[in-house]
Amino acid sequence: MYTTHRKNLFNLHQIALFLGDLWIILVILTHTIVEAKPQAVQNNGNSSIAPRFGAHGNDVNEYAYVSSWPILDRKLGSVSAVAIDGAGNVVIFHRGSHVWKFESFDAKDVYQEAADGPIPQHTVLKFTPDTGSLLQEWGSNLFYMPHGLTIDHEQNYWLTDVALHQVFKFDLNHSTTEPVLTLGTRFEPGNDMYHYCKPTAVAVLKSGEFFVADGYCNGRI
């Protein structure tokens, strides 16, 4: 009975997360459409603005699925985050062969598959925005359950791992295997200043201050 109840709660939690993500995507798309600048066209030698209109007369952006992007000789795992670096390249954070299942965490949010080791594949991949050519990959044997990825104005990579309950800052000029900053206690969930519980994302200000969304268990910043 207890296991069935936990599974139901887990399923409801996943549905809630999906709906939350869907709402965020809709807000972003709405903002993009409202803020989109119409195309400039030539009219008798003079540059003019010609907005595109949808079926109901609203300004729209046209999007098309590019099946050949990215160019990769293997299948990705679950992609948990996407970011754009300072050069406009697309960076993804994925889970490789690891899958977040109901059994992955116990009732106290402790990761149950640590004995299987970290993800053996490279988990951070950088692609060109136009063709999707692979520029760089790293992050093998470092992460267990990737989640958040942020690239700050100094091109530092901030990553979160919900299995490790940790936040990492990487300076790629320094190393792709050793973070310059690690927050949280490895595999130990908690709610004090030394622990996180499935941290989800990081936001960084140009002043250097940063904020951690300690979201799944603690619901705090």
Side-chain angles (χ1 to χ4, degrees):
M1 177 67 71
Y2 175 71
T3 301
T4 302
H5 180 64
R6 279 195 62 217
K7 285 186 176 180
N8 290 335
L9 289 177
F10 178 80
N11 291 333
L12 289 173
H13 180 62
Q14 294 298 315
I15 292 171
L17 290 175
F18 170 76
L19 292 176
D21 290 342
L22 181 61
W23 172 251
I24 292 172
I25 292 170
L26 289 174
V27 170
I28 293 173
L29 288 177
T30 302
H31 177 75
T32 302
I33 292 172
V34 171
E35 296 295 328
K37 294 182 179 179
Q39 298 288 325
V41 298
Q42 296 297 321
N43 182 13
N44 296 326
N46 298 319
S47 180
S48 61
I49 300 299
R52 294 181 179 180
F53 294 97
H56 301 289
N58 299 319
D59 290 355
V60 297
N61 272 345
E62 295 180 0
Y63 299 95
Y65 171 64
V66 182
S67 60
S68 60
W69 198 104
I71 300 172
L72 203 60
D73 59 358
R74 58 192 177 278
K75 186 177 180 180
L76 294 171
S78 298
V79 177
S80 61
V82 180
I84 307 297
D85 70 8
N89 298 307
V90 181
V91 183
I92 69 164
F93 195 25
H94 78 110
R95 294 173 180 162
S97 56
H98 284 201
V99 178
W100 190 343
K101 306 181 294 293
F102 169 74
E103 299 83 6
S104 296
F105 295 86
D106 66 11
K108 295 182 178 180
D109 296 303
V110 176
Y111 187 60
Q112 298 297 291
E113 299 166 352
D116 294 337
I119 300 168
Q121 301 89 7
H122 288 303
T123 53
V124 184
L125 284 71
K126 179 166 67 175
F127 301 96
T128 58
D130 48 359
T131 64
S133 298
L134 182 64
L135 295 174
Q136 184 184 28
E137 57 181 338
W138 57 278
S140 61
N141 297 306
L142 289 176
F143 304 102
Y144 287 77
M145 196 62 68
H147 198 284
L149 164 65
T150 299
I151 302 175
D152 67 23
H153 60 287
E154 295 181 341
Q155 303 310 299
N156 297 304
Y157 283 52
W158 298 76
L159 303 113
T160 68
D161 189 310
V162 293
L164 290 168
H165 303 288
Q166 288 182 304
V167 177
F168 304 94
K169 175 186 177 182
F170 282 87
D171 177 354
L172 301 195
N173 294 319
H174 169 72
S175 174
T176 57
T177 58
E178 294 291 336
V180 295
L181 177 67
T182 300
L183 301 172
T185 304
R186 188 177 177 87
F187 290 122
E188 290 186 12
N191 59 4
D192 56 34
M193 63 183 298
Y194 302 107
H195 293 83
Y196 295 102
C197 189
K198 297 177 181 173
T200 57
V202 180
V204 185
L205 302 181
K206 289 187 177 180
S207 63
E209 296 175 293
F210 62 92
F211 304 86
V212 177
D214 193 15
Y216 279 103
C217 319
N218 292 327
R220 64 178 182 174
I221 302 294

